[in-house]
Amino acid sequence: MRSLLLLMATTAAPAFAAVNPLPDDFNALFATTCMKYYYAQDTLRDQMKSHGLKVLPPDQAGLFLGGKEGTAWILVAPSTRYVISLSNNSVCSVFAQRGNPEQIQSGFLKLVGTAPALLVAQAPDTAGLGPNNDLARTVARSWAPPADKEELLFVLTTSSSEEVTAQTMASMSRVKRAK
């Protein structure tokens, strides 16, 4: 399974890696799963299976799927455990049990802060997207063509607490554009 993390870190999604180098394992995993296969989700499922990732049983996967139907896979690396989840309503997420919140947030903003050609990156209001308090911070970016009514929404929540199940969670989904 470590080989999957190394493979993903070295074969980053070309459209995204060309704009922003991948700064850490968490963001590399997010870029090479959710971002790379967002429009090819069956391929993502095939990739997880071909790399031998364990599918979490529904009672454990529910936490990572926000109560929605879908699939969650676990990846155990030397530094932490990761979960990659893909809900049936096309929300793709990566969770890390442990990680450096500041480093991961900085890397995430570098990764999604600049959109590929023909798309515009924006910083949407994070109210309602996740917590922003002394222990947790949520940041978001969206990508869309200038006149499109929908956008790709990227959300990252990090926690400095050692007591949480996952210190880091990044998600990608297609949503109606805020007016």
Side-chain angles (χ1 to χ4, degrees):
M1 289 190 205
R2 173 88 172 130
S3 64
L4 175 63
L5 190 57
L6 291 173
L7 174 69
M8 290 179 170
T10 59
T11 59
F16 308 111
V19 175
N20 300 307
L22 301 173
D24 56 71
D25 287 348
F26 178 84
N27 284 299
L29 188 59
F30 182 68
T32 57
T33 55
C34 292
M35 292 176 77
K36 183 174 183 176
Y37 296 111
Y38 189 76
Y39 291 105
Q41 293 177 357
D42 287 338
T43 304
L44 175 60
R45 289 180 188 92
D46 292 344
Q47 289 290 316
M48 298 295 102
K49 184 177 181 179
S50 72
H51 288 291
L53 267 67
K54 178 184 172 190
V55 174
L56 291 174
D59 62 318
Q60 293 176 4
L63 170 70
F64 302 102
L65 293 164
K68 306 288 185 200
E69 295 291 319
T71 308
W73 300 268
I74 188 163
L75 170 62
V76 180
S79 61
T80 193
R81 292 181 184 157
Y82 297 96
V83 171
I84 301 105
S85 69
L86 180 60
S87 70
N88 290 352
N89 66 344
S90 298
V91 176
C92 187
S93 303
V94 174
F95 298 80
Q97 184 178 22
R98 299 288 170 253
N100 179 316
E102 292 81 18
Q103 177 187 12
I104 291 171
Q105 181 178 322
S106 173
F108 181 81
L109 291 174
K110 287 177 186 172
L111 182 65
V112 300
T114 303
L118 305 179
L119 301 178
V120 176
Q122 294 184 333
D125 182 10
T126 59
L129 295 178
N132 277 304
N133 56 44
D134 291 343
L135 295 176
R137 177 137 164 84
T138 299
V139 295
R141 294 296 181 268
S142 63
W143 293 355
D148 205 351
K149 293 182 181 183
E150 292 187 326
E151 62 190 1
L152 290 173
L153 179 63
F154 303 92
V155 179
L156 173 76
T157 300
T158 57
S159 175
S160 58
S161 171
E162 296 284 328
E163 305 300 317
V164 295
T165 301
Q167 278 188 307
T168 305
M169 186 279 296
S171 66
M172 178 179 181
S173 59
R174 189 158 182 87
V175 299
K176 290 185 180 181
R177 194 174 211 168
K179 296 181 185 192

